[in-house]
Amino acid sequence: MSSSNLAKPLKTWSHLAGNKRRPTEYEIVSTNLLWNTPNSKLKWSQGKDTPIIKWRYTNRDLSPVKHDDWNAFRDPDQLVYRTYNLMQDGQETYIDGLLNENQNNQNDLAIPTAWLEVLARAYTPARYLIHATQMSLGYLVALAPCSTIANALMFECTDQLRWLSRIAYRTAELAKSHQDLEFGKIERKRWEEDPMWEGFLELAERLLVAWDWNEQFFALHLVLKPAIDEALMHQFGQASRLSGDMLTGMLLDAQFIDSERSRRFAGAMVNFLCSADGYENHKIISEWLKKWVPLGDRAIDAFCTILDDDGTAASAAKTKVKEFRKSLGLL
Amino acid sequence: MAMLDRSAWYELARTTNWTPQFVDAGELFPSVQSDPFGIPMSEWETYDEPFKVSYREYVQLQREKDSGAYSVKAALARSRYHETADPGYINILKWHYGSNALGEYAACFPAARMARFSKAPSMRNMSVFFYLDELRHTQIELFHAHELVKLDRQFDWAVKAHHTMNMAALPGRHAADDIMMTRDVITSSIMVNLAFETGITNVQMVAMSADAANMGDFCFSNLITSIQSDEARHAQIGTPLVGILIRNGRRAEAQRAIDIGLWRMWKSYSLFSGIPMDYLIPLEKRDRSFKEYIEEFVVEQFERQIVDLGLERPWYWADFLKDIESHHHNQHMALWSWRKGLYWNPDAGVAPAERAWLEEKYPGWNATYGRYWDVITANAQAGRFADTDAKGMPCLCNMCQHSITARGGTLWDARVHQTEYEGRRFNFCGPVCQWIFNLEPDRYAETETLVDRHYNGEIDPADPDALLRYMGIGVISEGGRDAGAFSWARAYNPLAEAAE
């Protein structure tokens, strides 16, 4: 570029100047922020054998799933920090309203004992499961290949802290109203030992140590999280309504709003990577799914045993999860 | 309203450790990321953050903060403030955004690693707010800087500098990679949250905010004050770690993390904050000198904090006190003289009145740094502008990447600090940078300075134009020039100027 051109001011960042339309706030504050991407020539400033540098190189840069231009990815929701808080503050106001009304009407005292026992087994221990997804998303942020992916993952990870907090809130509330059921004391034991949690526990633990960035991304977004959506948020949510526990059902519905955003993001990632010329990303992701889908199905089966004896709930949840993956052109 | 208080459920939200059943505990929390010290899990579970906030409180509070910060911006967009502001000041903004916007973004990544790998469940939760804060700072700074790219292409560096090999970007990236990107999460947190954010950032954010308000730039002043309100919260993430390390026989490691973290970021901020405060802000608008701020924020406040935590002030305190008086003065001479390689236009800031101020704040300034500027001034007054440019390559420190300098004139105290390692000689600006290198030579030995790259063929051909291009000058924007077109030099001879 000639120096006379360089003296002229720009209308937007030079990397967005080729766009035909005016850049959005999202593009201005989200694109091309990460300087060290899998394809970048910029080296880290410390030795390549420094363990954390090696870790990033091995698990991100050498991942078999590849793209020539990670920075081209766009979050379908175009969320930025400002709009995330704006949106979630509103959502949380709604949750506060639900919880307030529940407390004012003393609804917890009216929950049948049989359903309380179900909540103690299947709902309050979920804070461990949700926290495991939070940890996984923390890892995915830490090794993300570009800023537009990192940022979407940051919001998604934060969503998990949101629901971990709300489940903790409900646990404390139930502990107050029903002191005989060990709410707030028994969740860890249930998570570690109850057979209904065994499938999710195994899936979460194995996923948390699947260090390849892409493998963990897709195992989380196409297997673990959809399994939580369908088994916990939908099947369990529906059962809670049928048991007269409207609050849990409505909380899970609100949680699914966050999951839907995560699904749009995951879908955009599948599309972005599987349409990349010259790479076998679809094949590699499909191979990974062969390993992870059975773990996801087992998690759903085990969890749903609390809902019925004949496997109806599990079957419905597995069908839905499969439909989701199918809608993305995958197993 | 009958909602539970946060305290009724908060403990449950941070009770999330479990005993893994299908993988080893060591696999779930690899020591290289989580805990190279081998401290028992039960100890990490005692982690108690001094500042507590819930998700619900966070999204509400931050929405309200953003609403204020973005509305100031909208009001000022109509004021045309930047079109008429002092050129020296505008160039501080270029430097600030170029260094800071993506520097904030870098901090999202150690935070995310903490959210995954810390063995302290509460630290994992707090780290979520940490990366969110840093994302906020990145995005709000870019949003503001983007408005200015329409005035001057050098503002494009706000989103480019970190991607380049520019002489102003390399030192900061070297230090940030060191403390943020390449260490276990406990050491990183002590270095970043405690040493850097508690010790150093408030100098930039509080002191620069006062100077910006004096300049009438309420937009920038509010922006960085708002940023600091987040920093003050998440900076506390590192504090409880020191107690856990000390209780478990790792006092020396905690101390070392503080010593390295503080020094590495001090070096960057002594330029980034020190030069604007003492040279670039117009004299009549200066709040206090950089030294006065450092004495209050670091020498008094931070020292007291680390002593309260059971540690000692860094062993190099005497070197630090000396550096407060010298490093940024030396580096200002170097950066101004190599200004063609910068992405902003630095003001020399050494007209007679400014020199009188510098002499008052830093006694002996005229007899030492002033001598360098005497020569520059004479050349500028004689119209020999080419002779005000640096010639050749400086010798760079293999740690901080700054030019190796010493206070000249009557207090000449230059000394060579060198380490021989695996057949190569490494040069340092002083004993502290050398000490850090000698602790872990394998971590640092591979990295080449800009000068190394110039001589080893990476910059090809090895000539000044190729070097500038390598640094992004003439590619992203034009390089730097004196901000006021040498008006400071003309101020020495008002009669001649009047005749002109």
Side-chain angles (χ1 to χ4, degrees), chain B residues 50-331:
Chain B
F51 193 103
K52 295 175 177 62
V53 64
S54 71
Y55 177 93
R56 202 280 161 270
E57 292 162 333
Y58 183 91
V59 291
Q60 181 173 0
L61 181 72
Q62 298 299 103
R63 178 187 63 73
E64 287 164 2
K65 268 196 210 172
D66 267 357
S67 162
Y70 280 83
S71 68
V72 170
K73 152 96 187 41
L76 282 160
R78 295 188 290 272
S79 76
R80 303 170 72 90
Y81 171 83
H82 296 99
E83 290 170 41
T84 53
D86 176 87
Y89 178 72
I90 291 294
N91 282 288
I92 296 177
L93 297 182
K94 289 176 195 165
W95 188 3
H96 175 91
Y97 288 129
S99 286
N100 214 56
L102 296 203
E104 300 273 7
Y105 195 62
C108 294
F109 296 89
R113 271 197 304 127
M114 291 171 203
R116 165 60 182 87
F117 287 113
S118 175
K119 289 180 165 180
S122 206
M123 183 177 169
R124 294 199 293 270
N125 288 354
M126 286 300 104
S127 301
V128 168
F129 298 127
F130 174 18
Y131 72 62
L132 281 178
D133 287 345
E134 301 297 356
L135 179 64
R136 171 177 192 247
H137 307 163
T138 308
Q139 297 199 317
I140 199 167
E141 290 214 349
L142 290 176
F143 189 76
H144 281 68
H146 184 260
E147 288 298 307
L148 302 176
V149 82
K150 293 159 193 165
L151 292 180
D152 189 329
R153 198 177 188 113
Q154 286 179 331
F155 278 104
D156 197 32
W157 288 80
V159 73
K160 299 291 187 299
H162 272 253
H163 296 260
T164 71
M165 302 303 287
N166 188 269
M167 60 191 261
L170 284 167
R173 208 164 60 227
H174 190 283
D177 283 358
D178 192 357
I179 72 166
M180 293 182 183
M181 310 304 268
T182 60
R183 295 185 186 261
D184 69 273
V185 296
I186 302 306
T187 306
S188 243
S189 177
I190 294 175
M191 288 180 168
V192 177
N193 299 123
L194 187 51
F196 175 36
E197 293 180 332
T198 310
I200 303 275
T201 56
N202 50 7
V203 178
Q204 175 73 2
M205 299 306 181
V206 178
M208 279 295 291
S209 174
D211 281 341
N214 289 344
M215 290 300 298
D217 189 355
F218 299 106
C219 184
F220 187 65
S221 175
N222 284 349
L223 170 75
I224 57 180
T225 303
S226 180
I227 287 177
Q228 184 57 22
S229 70
D230 300 333
E231 298 281 339
R233 179 180 54 215
H234 71 238
Q236 299 180 37
I237 289 175
T239 315
L241 299 174
V242 173
I244 294 173
L245 259 59
I246 290 176
R247 274 206 311 278
N248 289 275
R250 298 290 185 166
R251 179 192 300 271
E253 285 82 352
Q255 182 74 49
R256 185 178 294 171
I258 291 279
D259 294 357
I260 296 172
L262 185 73
W263 186 261
R264 298 245 47 198
M265 296 321 281
W266 154 252
K267 280 300 201 190
S268 280
Y269 273 67
S270 81
L271 273 65
F272 179 52
S273 302
I275 294 173
M277 282 181 209
D278 284 350
Y279 291 92
L280 307 187
I281 293 274
L283 187 57
E284 66 281 9
K285 306 290 186 187
R286 285 179 202 166
D287 191 56
R288 276 183 275 173
S289 71
F290 178 59
K291 181 182 157 190
E292 287 163 337
Y293 271 116
I294 291 292
E295 282 176 343
E296 180 185 335
F297 285 126
V298 186
V299 178
E300 290 172 26
Q301 292 179 12
F302 184 63
E303 188 198 355
R304 195 166 55 237
Q305 273 176 299
I306 52 179
V307 170
D308 285 350
L309 287 171
L311 298 175
E312 293 169 1
R313 67 189 190 192
W315 64 267
Y316 51 70
W317 211 242
D319 298 279
F320 176 60
L321 295 177
K322 192 172 140 196
D323 230 44
I324 294 169
E325 302 261 1
S326 56
H327 191 63
H328 69 294
H329 295 302
N330 286 319
Q331 295 301 314

Side-chain angles (χ1 to χ4, degrees), chain A residues 12-13 15-16 19 21 23-37 69-84 144-155 265, chain B residues 70 101-102 105-106 108-109 132 134-146 158-160 163:
Chain A
T12 181
W13 304 134
H15 69 267
L16 298 175
N19 288 4
R21 52 171 178 75
T24 61
E25 177 185 355
Y26 168 76
E27 288 170 308
I28 291 166
V29 302
S30 313
T31 55
N32 295 46
L33 309 186
L34 190 61
W35 60 98
N36 185 294
T37 63
D69 183 14
W70 287 97
N71 280 320
F73 181 81
R74 295 291 180 267
D75 168 15
D77 282 62
Q78 302 234 333
L79 272 185
V80 299
Y81 178 89
R82 186 180 70 80
T83 51
Y84 178 81
C146 70
S147 55
T148 44
I149 293 172
N151 297 2
L153 288 164
M154 282 190 226
F155 300 131
F265 167 47
Chain B
Y70 280 83
L102 296 203
Y105 195 62
C108 294
F109 296 89
L132 281 178
E134 301 297 356
L135 179 64
R136 171 177 192 247
H137 307 163
T138 308
Q139 297 199 317
I140 199 167
E141 290 214 349
L142 290 176
F143 189 76
H144 281 68
H146 184 260
V159 73
K160 299 291 187 299
H163 296 260

